[in-house]
Amino acid sequence: MTILKLCSGNGLSASFRELMPAFERAHSCKIDMHFEPAQILLREIKAGLDVDLGLLGTGIMEQLSKEGIVVSETVRALTKNGIGVGVRKGAAKPDMSSVEAFKQALLNARTVAYTTEGASGIYFAGLIKKLGIEDAVKAKARTQPGGLVADLVVKGEAEIAVQQIPEILAVTGADYAGPIPDEIQQYSINAGAVFAKSREPVLARKLLDYLCSTEAAKVFRARGLEDRKSTRLNSSH
């Protein structure tokens, strides 16, 4: 059986686990899925990670395109999502109606969970510094390199979790409290591309087409991801 290797940030993991079985049946193949935070994946890719298709943020994907690691003509934007807050199921949801309310919610929380190497966590670390509450939040932070930090609120190890919305929605036992305020929101656009050294480039392109389909878009929306209409990214290549 043909094995197709796919790598992606954690925000798409729940969607892919739902989508892949149908593709595997249709093409008599097996999809080997590898999920890590963006910066960890980038290091692995630079170190020679064996992969056929990747789904990553547009900034990283453009970098890989320029370096010839992915086939530039295959790069396509797929989804868009923002950052949100998660709490333990049934717990009171913090007020995030304004930047000041969100800032106060972070100060009031006993513990705050976020990643250190995921896109949302890196942004959040800069945001709390900009808001002037870096020391206060870091003093009660519960961090991990990647993964789903809403798991920490489910376990009772953190009161609130800040991460990309699809990653919060992927955690059973967590409630999505809502997005962070528009004025400080950061959206991530995820793009897919076939790797230049893919052993199965034809099948990889078929999978990318499938991820651009109406069927996939429905699953993405249900998982907190907005459809990007499979727009081809601007590229100098």
Side-chain angles (χ1 to χ4, degrees), residues 3-7 30-32 50-54 199:
I3 296 177
L4 193 67
K5 296 182 179 181
L6 176 151
C7 72
K30 176 67 178 175
I31 309 297
D32 181 1
D50 182 17
V51 66
D52 298 291
L53 183 69
R199 293 185 176 89

Side-chain angles (χ1 to χ4, degrees), residues 177-235:
I180 66 174
D182 287 343
E183 298 94 322
I184 53 172
Q185 181 62 267
Q186 183 186 63
Y187 290 96
S188 296
I189 299 175
N190 302 299
V194 177
F195 276 66
K197 293 184 178 180
S198 170
R199 293 185 176 89
E200 299 290 340
V202 175
L203 188 58
R205 287 183 186 233
K206 288 181 179 179
L207 178 54
L208 184 55
D209 286 342
Y210 173 59
L211 295 175
C212 294
S213 68
T214 302
E215 178 184 349
K218 290 178 182 177
V219 172
F220 289 143
R221 282 195 296 272
R223 297 287 183 175
L225 293 147
E226 299 176 35
D227 182 17
R228 289 292 296 171
K229 306 298 182 187
S230 306
T231 305
R232 181 74 57 82
L233 290 182
N234 291 329
S235 175

Side-chain angles (χ1 to χ4, degrees), residues 2 25 35 99 101-102 104 107 111 118 132 152 169 201 225 231 235:
T2 301
R25 289 191 298 270
F35 302 108
V99 174
F102 177 62
Q104 197 59 49
L107 292 172
T111 43
L152 298 179
L169 293 174
L225 293 147
T231 305
S235 175

Side-chain angles (χ1 to χ4, degrees), residues 26-104:
H27 296 276
S28 300
C29 66
K30 176 67 178 175
I31 309 297
D32 181 1
M33 295 180 284
H34 177 58
F35 302 108
E36 291 287 1
Q39 294 304 313
I40 292 177
L41 275 180
L42 181 59
R43 290 200 295 271
E44 291 179 343
I45 289 167
K46 292 294 186 72
L49 180 67
D50 182 17
V51 66
D52 298 291
L53 183 69
L55 285 297
L56 293 156
T58 53
I60 290 178
M61 198 58 82
E62 287 283 19
Q63 180 182 340
L64 296 178
S65 175
K66 290 175 182 176
E67 295 177 10
I69 295 174
V70 300
V71 181
S72 60
E73 67 179 27
T74 68
V75 179
R76 302 178 76 180
L78 294 175
T79 63
K80 171 185 172 183
N81 63 267
I83 296 170
V85 169
V87 298
R88 192 171 186 174
K89 196 169 188 64
K93 296 178 180 179
D95 180 4
M96 296 184 292
S97 58
S98 67
V99 174
E100 189 57 37
F102 177 62
K103 177 179 174 179
Q104 197 59 49

Side-chain angles (χ1 to χ4, degrees), residues 118-129:
S120 61
I122 292 170
Y123 174 73
F124 182 69
L127 177 62
I128 56 176
K129 184 174 183 178

